């Protein structure tokens, strides 16, 4: 019984991480039909925000330092949400109605974000700002002068390439000054320490230890889930989001500003990714590759859960989490010690972390044979649904 | 270039600069400067092979220093053998390999893992029982190292009570913690061969789950000063590591090495065993080239290489006929400062045994490239 | 002019076979051999994505399976690779004393040649059928194939005892017909083989994309519902084309492996499979020439940039993704054939702008008013 309970707790804690990471993705996918492959990198940004906040709080003394984590969570949400809105306004919007292309473009964004985090330095920031400023001013100026000419687009592109070149020159000119050109983070993993009140155990149930971090993440994911549900069902914007999810054209006709709904949804999804990233700093490392480790698991959750309902995401996370913890730790063998040897061999074969992922995938493929659109398919009258 | 390799590149550049500043490499009474060509393997094994080919064919280099994971070395090995070229590999690895074209300046298991297991059993075998739990990343070094440890534990009359592998980069260690708590409810000995990101997850979650160094004795083989900085010293404090060099080693040569590195790359930087190996290999090559009187007759350089010594930061090391170096072995305890307190020290360098003597398949085999026989890489003693 | 057009493919083939080996160093020639091998994968992806609308992010599975088949044959048939008990040396590291059963077919060269493409094709058939049967498509299909890729990666990476785990298999020191696979002679032969197989792959793809079968694929891509309502079942079409693509990827992986000297689970990394898609996007999907151009061009660029400025490559690659998808959705070849060059020149007044409806062009201003007052539906 105790073993069972501790397995369930482990499974729930894996599930809560999956849920945190997948909720944002599911909301964006459900509403816009867009898969954001840069979602993992937005999580990474959230983790880096946590790192920066931690370092800002360090000089303030141990008592105040303990409070850095809630601040980091909120800031991670705000900053990644802003990045998300920026992304939606500049890129995703241009690809509207082309979900496959969006997928590829967001992968491009994720590559850029990874390398940006690795190599960003003061000189690089100045270079980027210079290039964007020159580009924006130049393109405004050109639009005024030759905006009606047919070759405007091409010259404008040339001008952007030119401003990029200037940016590169600016970066290079500062490369000898170490204070400016040394990267802020570099490719290394960074050290984020949870505050004291999260470390260690939060008590016991029976003999099962309750690790503070795990319990906190479970609580955080429940809290966020309730928050998101409240936002979607009770607030005015939530109503609009639901309306657009159900029928975009009709909503548009009825005067709902669908483009702002898109921005807000994408911002919300990105902000949730940021919070997930901040939560993951408690469990693992903070490095440029943080996001890639989680993104595929998030996809599995979405495929299993379907897109119509957040409840699907919740159930799918819990199922995947529990399968991983029960199979991956091989505790089936402890519960049923008298399995026939052939079956025992099979169980042992899958009782590693790698192989439990394989099993999860097989499970999903089999599941899809019966429920091709996930647990809670979106209801509608279109033949596609 | 990924996480920790950068330091190795910097140390090698430092060694090259030192040599060039001191007049260069003296070959047949002429002084030559070393010109480095740098290529990035991008943590991708095929890229390692491709870039090696490029360095040999297009750049015409005389020697290559590089590689990090065992898989990267295994990917490059055929290139160097097919071209009959020369590679120096700086990282501690699992052994069970002995190539004519590779010189290995990191530890093999008898210079790191085996003394560490012996020390664990000597120190905690009585109080905690002769039982160990093995945790590793899912690739060749941990798998092979754990095979060796299992055989060694058998020879010592102990047993391995659990063995777990996590995919590289995976951070979900909850099932492993559950298993450890199952077999060691009141404490025990854990040997950790995880690499990279998973270590951070392991130590953070160990602490949260109440697996503390008071009760659980954790020995790691891939955690040096650099990795401790990335994990956070408060999570690793009280755990053990076995290496051939620690930054805290209190000898004039070690201090000079640390000071030179920090002067060049910043006071907050740390070096560790892999960096020291990388530094040594440049000097070993230089000494061999000077003695051989040629830098481009690779066969001659290779022959002369054997028996070459160098006063490394850890002490004197020597290149053995099996193309591995002798190494000093030390056990250290991680301190809250991020440095290691040296608990045990072999004092002198221990000769390398690339073919493991605990594993039945390779017991009794040796490697000697000075012998003129077709199977010089692996033959029965 | 017409004669010239018909000669172009032959001229290109002759250049690749005779001119490139004469002017390039062994190392660069070998790189081009790899690019051409990758071009076969690009063709396969174009077949399923460009023509049928199935964006698979898991082609790395089939690519790696083909590579493994080739490497297993070479490893088994080289005496110097065998350890004490007559099986490949690396098995000894993991205490395996008997050859796993699935290695057996690779003792024979003919079975290996068959398995090279048939095993990936079979896997593609099973995975494809199970997915298509349930009408899973679009983004869903993409992320399921990506998850499948991850699963195969974990499996190959974790099974040291079966397939040497993350180390993969190396082929440079293996022998084929008494020649070292890593030697420059052998690599030249592989280069020639690749150059000859690329047109074969091209013809296979053309066979499937022209005629009634090709029309069906395009119909599925453009409107699968209507295709179904017209009384056709799209499942067999999609499955067949996925199988063909899987087989082609297998051949491509085998050619790539022998020229690179290694096959490892990293062939099944997420990024590599997405890169394959971007070669097609850059070259131009929906045409069979585009993917070849894209694969060679992007990989050549990658070699050059990563040799000169390794830190910059991810920026360039990411930027290329975004640029192509947003501004050049038809790729380089599509831009040319779609009149991109002409309209570029026309905008500077160098060439005449093509006139679709000359009369309307003249009255364009009066028409614009009408257009602007018509309610538009941009969101369909």
């Amino acid at each position: 019984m105790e073993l069972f309970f501790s397995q369930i707790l482990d499974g729930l804690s894996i599930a809560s991480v999956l849920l945190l990471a997948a909720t944002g993705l599911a909301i964006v996918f459900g509403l816009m039909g867009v898969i954001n492959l840069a979602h993992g990198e937005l999580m990474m940004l959230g983790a880096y925000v946590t790192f920066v906040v931690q370092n800002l709080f360090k000089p303030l003394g141990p008592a105040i330092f303990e409070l850095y984590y809630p601040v980091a969570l909120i800031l991670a949400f705000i900053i990644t949400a802003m990045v998300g809105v920026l992304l939606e306004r500049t890129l995703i919007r241009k690809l509207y109605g082309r979900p496959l292309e969006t997928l590829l473009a967001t992968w491009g964004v994720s590559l850029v974000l990874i390398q940006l985090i690795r190599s960003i330095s003061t000189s690089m920031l100045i270079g980027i700002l210079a290039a964007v400023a020159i580009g924006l001013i130049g393109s405004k100026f050109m639009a005024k002068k030759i905006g009606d000419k047919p070759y405007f687009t091409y010259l404008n592109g040339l001008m952007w390439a030119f401003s990029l070149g200037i940016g590169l020159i600016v970066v290079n000119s500062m490369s000898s000054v170490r204070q400016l050109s040394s990267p802020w983070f570099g490719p290394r993993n960074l050290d984020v320490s949870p505050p004291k009140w999260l470390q260690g155990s939060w008590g016991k149930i029976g003999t099962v230890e309750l690790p503070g971090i795990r319990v906190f993440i479970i609580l955080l994911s429940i809290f966020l889930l309730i928050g998101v549900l409240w936002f979607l069902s009770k607030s005015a914007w939530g109503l609009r989001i639901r309306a657009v999810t159900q029928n975009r054209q009709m909503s548009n006709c009825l005067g709902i500003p669908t483009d702002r709904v898109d921005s807000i949804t994408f911002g919300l999804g990105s902000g949730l990714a940021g919070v997930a990233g901040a939560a993951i700093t408690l469990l693992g490392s903070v490095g440029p590759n943080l996001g890639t480790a989680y993104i595929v698991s998030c996809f599995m959750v979405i495929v299993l859960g379907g897109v119509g309902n957040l409840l699907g995401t919740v159930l799918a996370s819990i199922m995947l989490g529990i399968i991983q913890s029960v199979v991956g730790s091989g505790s089936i063998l402890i519960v049923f010690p008298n399995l026939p040897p052939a079956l025992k061999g099979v169980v042992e074969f899958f009782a590693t972390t790698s192989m439990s992922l394989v099993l999860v995938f097989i499970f999903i493929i089999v599941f899809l044979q019966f429920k091709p659109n996930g647990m809670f398919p979106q209801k509608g009258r279109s033949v596609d649904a | 270039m990924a996480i920790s390799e950068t330091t190795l590149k910097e140390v090698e550049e430092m060694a090259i600069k030192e040599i060039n500043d001191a007049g260069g490499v003296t070959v047949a009474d002429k002084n030559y400067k070393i010109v480095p060509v740098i290529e990035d393997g991008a943590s991708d094994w095929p890229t390692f092979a491709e870039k090696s080919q490029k360095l040999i064919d297009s750049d015409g280099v005389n020697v290559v220093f590089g590689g990090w994971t065992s898989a990267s070395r295994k990917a490059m090995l055929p290139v160097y053998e097919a071209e009959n070229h020369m590679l120096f590999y700086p990282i501690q690895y699992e052994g069970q390999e002995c190539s004519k074209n590779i010189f290995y300046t990191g530890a093999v298991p008898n210079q790191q893992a085996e003394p560490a297991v012996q020390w664990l059993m000597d120190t905690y075998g009585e109080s905690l029982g002769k039982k160990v739990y093995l945790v590793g990343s899912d690739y060749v070094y941990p798998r092979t190292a754990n095979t060796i440890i299992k055989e060694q534990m058998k020879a010592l009359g102990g047993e391995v009570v659990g063995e777990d592998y996590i995919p590289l980069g995976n951070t979900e260690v909850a099932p492993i913690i559950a298993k450890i708590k199952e077999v060691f409810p009141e404490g025990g000995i854990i040997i950790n061969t995880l690499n990279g990101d998973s270590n951070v997850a392991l130590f953070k979650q160990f602490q949260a789950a109440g697996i503390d160094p008071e009760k659980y004795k954790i020995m790691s083989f891939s955690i040096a000063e650099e990795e401790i900085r990335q994990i956070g010293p408060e999570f690793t404090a009280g755990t053990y590591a076995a290496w051939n060099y620690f930054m805290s080693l209190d000898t004039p040569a070690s201090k000079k090495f640390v000071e030179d590195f920090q002067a060049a790359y910043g006071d907050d930087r740390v070096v560790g065993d892999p960096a020291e190996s990388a530094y040594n290999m440049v000097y070993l090559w230089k000494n061999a080239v000077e003695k051989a009187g040629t830098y481009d007759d690779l066969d001659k350089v290779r022959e002369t290489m054997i028996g070459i010594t160098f006063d490394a930061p850890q002490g004197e090391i020597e290149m053995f006929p099996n193309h591995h170096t002798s190494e000093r072995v030390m056990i250290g305890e991680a301190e809250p400062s991020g440095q290691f307190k040296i608990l045990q020290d072999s004092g002198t360098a221990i000769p390398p045994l690339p073919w493991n003597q605990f594993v039945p398949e390779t017991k009794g085999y040796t490697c000697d490239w000075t012998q003129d026989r077709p199977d010089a890489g692996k033959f029965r003693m | 002019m017409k004669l010239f057009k018909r000669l172009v493919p032959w001229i290109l083939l002759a250049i690749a076979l005779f001119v490139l080996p004469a002017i390039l160093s062994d190392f660069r020639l070998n790189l081009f051999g790899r690019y051409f091998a990758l071009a076969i994968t690009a063709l396969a992806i174009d077949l399923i994505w460009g023509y049928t609308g199935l964006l698979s992010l898991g082609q790395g599975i089939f690519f790696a399976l083909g590579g493994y088949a080739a490497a297993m044959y070479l490893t088994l048939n080289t005496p110097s690779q065998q350890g004490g008990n007559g099986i490949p040396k690396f098995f000894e590291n993991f205490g395996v004393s008997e050859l796993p059963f699935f290695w057996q077919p690779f003792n024979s060269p003919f079975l290996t040649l068959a398995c090279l493409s048939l095993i990936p094709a079979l896997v593609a058939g099973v995975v494809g059928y199970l997915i298509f049967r349930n009408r899973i498509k679009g983004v869903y299909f993409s992320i399921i194939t990506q998850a499948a890729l991850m699963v195969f990666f974990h499996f190959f990476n974790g099974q040291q005892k079966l397939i040497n785990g993350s180390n993969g298999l190396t082929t440079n020191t293996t022998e084929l017909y008494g020649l070292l696979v890593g030697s420059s002679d052998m690599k030249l032969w592989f280069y020639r083989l690749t150059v000859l197989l690329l047109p074969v792959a091209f013809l296979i793809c053309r066979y499937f994309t022209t005629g009634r079968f090709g029309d069906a694929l395009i119909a599925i891509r453009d409107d699968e519902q209507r295709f179904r309502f017209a009384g056709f079942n799209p499942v067999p079409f999609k499955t067949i084309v996925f199988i063909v693509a899987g087989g082609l990827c297998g051949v491509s992986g085998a050619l790539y492996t022998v020229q690179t000297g290694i096959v490892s689970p990293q062939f099944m990394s997420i990024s590599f499979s997405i890169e394959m898609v971007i070669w097609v996007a850059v070259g131009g999907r929906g045409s069979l020439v585009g993917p070849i151009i894209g694969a060679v061009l992007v990989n050549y660029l990658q070699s050059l940039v990563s040799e000169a400025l390794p830190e910059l490559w991810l920026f360039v690659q990411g930027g290329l993704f975004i640029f192509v998808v947003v501004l050049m959705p038809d790729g380089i070849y599509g831009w040319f054939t779609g009149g991109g060059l002409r309209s570029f020149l026309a905008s500077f007044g160098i060439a005449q702008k093509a006139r679709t409806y000359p009369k309307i062009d003249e009255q364009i201003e009066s028409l614009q008013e009408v257009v602007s007052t018509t309610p538009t539906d941009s969101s369909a």
Side-chain angles (χ1 to χ4, degrees):
Chain A
M1 190 58 208
E2 258 162 26
L3 179 78
F4 177 72
F5 182 73
S6 84
Q7 291 298 321
I8 296 293
L9 186 72
D10 273 342
L12 282 182
S13 70
I14 297 176
S16 60
V17 175
L18 283 177
L19 182 63
L20 273 178
T23 310
L25 203 61
I27 292 176
V28 172
F29 186 37
L31 177 82
M32 303 163 76
V34 158
I35 279 285
N36 179 13
L37 278 180
H39 192 79
E41 278 57 45
L42 290 169
M43 287 165 68
M44 170 195 75
L45 284 186
Y48 274 85
V49 170
T50 315
F51 173 76
V52 171
V53 171
Q54 172 199 253
N55 285 1
L56 289 178
F57 270 66
K58 255 182 194 156
L60 300 178
I64 303 178
F65 177 73
E66 291 297 301
L67 294 175
Y68 93 86
Y69 195 71
V71 178
L73 277 178
I74 295 166
L75 277 180
F77 182 86
I78 295 174
I79 291 175
T80 46
M82 275 160 43
V83 173
V85 170
L86 186 73
L87 201 61
E88 202 275 336
R89 293 259 155 125
T90 53
L91 181 68
I92 312 285
R93 180 163 297 182
K94 291 198 161 57
L95 295 169
Y96 196 66
R98 292 156 64 193
L100 296 182
E101 277 86 341
T102 317
L103 191 100
L104 294 177
T106 51
W107 175 257
V109 171
S110 83
L111 294 181
V112 171
L113 282 178
I114 290 177
Q115 189 60 39
L116 196 68
I117 280 291
R118 280 188 198 155
S119 45
I120 186 133
S121 59
T122 314
S123 63
M124 198 170 160
L125 185 71
I126 297 173
I128 293 174
L129 289 180
V132 171
I134 294 171
L136 281 180
I137 294 170
S139 108
K140 267 259 164 67
F141 177 75
M142 280 170 73
K144 214 164 155 190
K145 289 279 172 193
I146 54 165
D148 51 343
K149 299 282 194 296
Y151 49 80
F152 166 68
T153 332
Y154 301 105
L155 283 189
N156 197 21
L158 198 69
M159 200 273 313
W160 274 104
F162 173 73
S163 61
L164 198 71
I166 290 194
L168 276 175
I169 293 169
V170 168
V171 176
N172 260 331
S173 68
M174 284 183 282
S175 62
S176 55
V177 191
R178 199 201 254 176
Q179 283 85 354
L180 294 178
S181 67
S182 71
W184 295 349
F185 307 112
R188 288 182 179 74
N189 283 338
L190 303 168
D191 148 39
V192 174
S193 328
K196 287 275 174 301
W197 51 276
L198 274 175
Q199 295 179 8
S201 169
W202 277 10
K204 284 181 175 184
I205 295 182
T207 57
V208 178
E209 204 99 34
L210 293 176
I213 290 173
R214 289 290 185 181
V215 177
F216 177 78
I217 290 181
I218 294 176
L219 292 179
L220 179 70
S221 65
I222 295 173
F223 171 76
L224 278 186
L225 187 71
I226 293 174
V228 168
L229 283 176
W230 176 85
F231 175 78
L232 288 178
S233 59
K234 300 285 179 199
S235 74
W237 278 107
L239 183 68
R240 289 177 196 136
I241 289 176
R242 280 182 296 139
V244 175
T245 309
Q246 278 189 4
N247 192 330
R248 179 173 290 267
Q249 264 117 322
M250 190 56 78
S251 310
N252 205 352
C253 293
L254 293 175
I256 293 174
T258 48
D259 51 346
R260 279 178 70 192
V261 167
D262 285 346
S263 280
I264 285 174
T265 317
F266 205 83
L268 176 67
S270 307
L272 289 173
V275 176
I280 283 166
T281 60
L282 300 175
L283 295 172
S285 59
V286 178
N289 297 328
L290 177 144
T292 33
Y294 288 91
I295 193 84
V296 178
S297 310
C298 293
F299 288 163
M300 294 210 192
V301 169
I302 288 187
V303 169
L304 189 61
V307 291
N309 198 326
L310 271 185
L311 193 60
T313 314
V314 177
L315 285 181
S317 307
I318 292 176
M319 273 165 82
L320 294 190
I322 287 182
I323 293 180
Q324 265 191 49
S325 90
V326 172
V327 176
S329 64
S331 51
I332 296 176
L333 286 181
I334 307 171
V335 180
F336 304 104
N338 300 323
L339 287 177
L343 202 60
K344 199 175 162 191
V346 174
V347 173
E348 272 172 354
F349 187 71
F350 285 107
T352 66
T353 315
S354 308
M355 293 310 292
S356 69
L357 289 174
V358 176
L359 194 73
V360 164
F361 179 73
I362 296 173
F363 172 75
I364 288 177
I365 286 284
V366 172
F367 181 85
L368 287 178
Q369 301 308 308
F370 302 103
K371 283 234 158 208
N373 291 312
M375 282 189 267
F376 294 96
Q378 214 159 7
K379 288 194 188 74
R381 292 189 196 169
S382 135
V383 271
D384 272 334
Chain B
M1 223 164 294
I3 305 151
S4 311
E5 289 103 310
T6 324
T7 308
L8 270 63
K9 187 194 85 176
E10 288 163 351
V11 168
E12 285 162 31
E13 283 174 333
M14 179 174 102
I16 290 170
K17 188 163 178 295
E18 283 175 13
I19 293 170
N20 286 346
D21 286 351
V25 185
T26 317
V27 179
D29 296 330
K30 277 173 83 180
N31 283 343
Y32 293 90
K33 294 256 191 282
I34 305 174
V35 183
V37 183
I38 298 163
E39 286 293 345
D40 182 1
S43 301
D44 179 58
W45 320 151
T47 308
F48 271 98
E50 177 188 325
K51 298 298 182 193
S52 293
Q53 196 79 49
K54 176 189 173 262
L55 287 172
I56 296 170
D57 284 357
S58 300
D59 299 316
V61 297
N62 298 113
V63 61
V64 178
F65 302 107
W68 179 262
T69 55
S70 277
S72 72
R73 186 192 67 254
K74 297 258 186 206
M76 291 190 285
L77 183 145
V79 177
Y80 291 88
E81 289 189 347
E83 299 278 346
N84 198 18
H85 212 270
M86 189 158 35
L87 170 73
F88 277 76
Y89 175 72
I91 308 299
Q92 110 280 6
Y93 82 112
E94 68 278 2
Q96 310 295 50
E97 184 181 298
C98 189
S99 169
K100 185 185 163 202
N101 302 87
I102 301 185
F103 290 96
Y104 309 78
T105 61
V108 286
N110 84 306
Q111 295 166 318
Q112 189 198 20
E114 292 172 21
V117 173
Q118 187 68 49
W119 178 83
L120 278 173
M121 289 304 114
D122 291 348
T123 320
Y124 297 110
E126 300 253 312
S127 53
L128 293 168
K130 289 193 168 186
K131 291 176 183 169
V132 295
Y133 196 100
L134 308 175
V135 183
S137 292
D138 202 351
Y139 73 104
V140 64
Y141 170 67
R143 291 256 179 199
T144 317
N146 286 348
T147 313
I148 292 166
I149 293 169
K150 271 189 273 183
E151 296 294 338
Q152 191 187 359
M153 286 302 291
K154 233 188 267 171
L156 291 171
E159 63 172 325
V160 171
V161 289
E163 192 180 355
D164 249 301
Y165 299 96
I166 308 177
L168 278 175
N170 192 309
T171 49
E172 200 42 84
V173 294
I176 289 181
I177 291 177
K179 278 200 247 181
I180 290 177
K181 290 219 139 186
E182 188 71 34
V183 292
F184 287 148
E186 296 301 327
I189 302 170
I190 300 163
I191 294 179
N192 163 29
T193 42
L194 286 177
N195 197 329
D197 295 354
S198 313
N199 269 315
V200 187
L202 187 83
F203 283 101
K204 277 187 182 172
Q205 296 183 35
F206 266 7
Q207 200 186 52
I211 299 187
D212 59 64
E214 284 288 301
K215 289 187 286 181
Y216 293 86
K217 304 300 167 188
I218 304 165
M219 168 71 78
S220 307
F221 293 152
S222 303
I223 294 186
E225 288 82 351
E226 178 82 44
E227 284 74 24
I228 288 193
R229 279 214 330 178
Q230 297 173 11
I231 300 167
E234 70 267 38
F235 296 106
T236 50
T239 69
Y240 307 105
W243 287 111
N244 309 123
Y245 172 77
F246 285 116
M247 190 176 163
S248 57
L249 184 65
D250 197 10
T251 62
S254 164
K255 283 198 166 141
K256 182 176 178 303
F257 176 58
V258 174
E259 278 164 18
D260 289 349
F261 181 76
Q262 290 185 335
Y265 296 102
D267 289 339
D268 57 332
R269 297 291 302 277
V270 292
V271 286
D273 174 289
E276 194 245 10
S277 288
Y279 182 78
N280 298 346
M281 61 188 185
V282 180
Y283 273 98
L284 284 168
W285 176 78
K286 170 193 176 252
N287 292 353
V289 166
E290 289 188 339
K291 193 175 168 204
T294 172
Y295 57 85
D296 50 6
D297 182 353
L298 294 186
D299 284 322
K300 184 137 189 237
V301 174
R302 201 160 26 232
E303 279 164 29
T304 321
M305 198 72 224
I306 289 159
I308 289 289
T309 58
F310 171 58
D311 270 321
Q314 59 168 281
E316 194 184 70
I317 56 167
E318 184 189 343
M319 182 60 75
F320 271 64
N322 53 26
H323 284 193
H324 290 66
T325 50
S326 59
E327 304 274 352
R328 183 172 174 173
V329 183
M330 290 175 269
I331 313 278
E333 180 184 336
E335 297 191 286
S337 63
Q339 291 293 329
F340 285 94
K341 186 169 83 190
I342 298 169
L343 300 179
Q344 202 198 36
D345 183 353
S346 70
T348 52
I350 293 177
L353 297 172
W355 299 109
N356 194 272
Q357 298 305 308
F358 281 109
V359 176
E361 285 87 0
T362 53
K363 192 174 163 65
Y365 281 92
T366 186
C367 166
D368 185 346
W369 291 107
T370 57
Q371 296 206 17
D372 186 22
R373 52 192 291 171
D375 58 350
K378 187 187 181 190
F379 60 91
R380 203 168 267 287
M381 270 184 269
Chain C
M1 196 64 196
K2 211 173 174 189
L3 179 76
F4 178 71
K5 263 192 176 166
R6 291 191 65 171
L7 279 178
V8 165
W10 296 103
I11 295 171
L12 287 177
L13 192 64
I15 291 177
L17 265 184
F18 303 109
V19 180
L20 284 185
I23 58 171
L24 289 175
S25 70
D26 282 356
F27 171 67
R28 290 285 161 203
L29 188 72
N30 174 244
L31 285 187
F32 268 92
R34 294 186 209 174
Y35 306 155
F36 291 140
L38 296 175
I40 298 181
T41 297
L43 276 173
I45 290 176
D46 192 34
L47 194 61
I48 50 174
W49 181 40
Y51 283 92
T52 325
L54 308 165
L55 177 59
S56 162
L57 301 180
Q59 291 308 105
I61 298 172
F62 315 118
F63 187 83
L65 285 175
Y68 268 107
M72 281 156 85
Y73 168 74
L74 290 171
T75 310
L76 280 178
N77 288 281
T78 305
S80 67
Q81 297 287 315
Q82 311 306 317
N85 34 21
I87 60 171
K89 271 184 203 163
F90 70 85
F91 280 121
E92 286 177 5
N93 292 345
F94 310 113
V96 177
S97 54
E98 211 174 307
L99 199 63
F101 71 94
F102 65 90
W103 280 69
Q104 299 297 351
F106 298 99
N107 274 314
S108 138
F110 300 106
L111 276 177
T112 303
L113 280 183
C115 289
L116 268 183
S117 51
L118 288 187
I119 292 182
L122 188 74
V123 174
V126 172
V127 173
Y129 177 71
L130 289 179
I131 298 177
F132 299 137
R133 196 176 83 95
N134 293 304
R135 299 184 188 172
I136 292 168
K137 57 185 184 229
V139 181
Y140 255 115
F141 175 75
S142 303
I143 58 182
I144 288 180
T145 47
Q146 189 171 54
L149 181 75
M150 227 34 232
V151 165
F152 272 84
F153 173 82
H154 280 305
F155 185 80
F156 276 76
N157 206 34
Q159 298 304 322
Q160 325 256 357
K161 291 184 175 174
L162 300 179
I163 196 90
N164 206 15
S166 64
N167 279 347
L169 303 171
T170 52
T171 61
N172 267 350
T173 44
T174 58
E175 290 164 17
L176 191 63
Y177 301 115
L179 264 177
L180 213 55
V181 170
S183 64
S184 40
D185 279 352
M186 203 64 208
K187 285 197 166 160
L188 184 60
W189 280 112
F190 284 130
Y191 172 81
R192 288 178 183 148
L193 183 67
T194 313
V195 169
L196 292 175
L197 280 177
L198 181 58
V200 174
F202 180 88
L203 292 176
I204 292 176
C205 288
R206 202 173 65 173
Y207 174 77
F208 279 101
T209 52
T210 48
R212 286 175 61 81
F213 192 87
D215 290 344
L217 296 185
I218 293 170
I220 291 171
R221 177 190 70 188
D222 290 343
D223 197 332
E224 191 173 337
Q225 305 307 341
R226 200 173 292 179
F227 184 73
R228 197 141 24 103
F229 293 158
F232 295 100
N233 181 4
V235 175
F237 290 94
K238 287 160 112 179
T239 312
I240 287 171
V241 83
F242 200 56
I243 288 173
V244 172
L248 284 176
C249 285
V251 174
S252 157
L255 289 171
Y256 186 76
T257 297
V258 291
Q259 296 183 81
T260 313
I262 182 172
V263 56
S264 84
Q266 288 201 328
F267 281 14
M268 292 183 269
S269 68
I270 292 181
S271 53
F272 190 49
S273 286
I274 299 190
E275 276 166 34
M276 295 174 179
V277 173
I278 213 65
W279 306 332
V280 181
V282 168
R285 66 197 143 109
S287 71
L288 290 178
V289 180
I292 301 177
I293 298 174
V296 176
L297 214 61
V298 175
N299 282 295
Y300 191 54
L301 189 71
Q302 173 164 16
S303 293
L304 291 186
V305 175
S306 70
E307 275 163 26
L309 294 157
E311 298 85 30
L312 219 57
W313 170 239
L314 275 189
F315 281 135
V316 173
Q317 199 186 10
L320 196 67
F321 264 72
I322 300 169
F323 177 83
V324 165
V325 165
V326 177
L327 297 173
M328 226 188 200
D330 294 324
I332 296 172
Y333 187 74
W335 187 74
F336 272 106
T337 53
L341 187 64
R342 195 186 164 91
S343 79
F344 173 73
L345 293 176
S347 72
F348 290 94
I350 299 170
Q352 273 286 314
K353 203 169 183 172
R355 284 188 162 183
T356 337
Y357 299 105
K359 284 218 169 131
I360 296 182
D361 274 357
E362 279 156 23
Q363 306 162 343
I364 198 86
E365 269 167 30
S366 58
L367 274 170
Q368 260 165 8
E369 277 169 40
V370 182
V371 172
S372 62
T373 52
T374 315
T376 50
D377 177 23
S378 60
S379 57

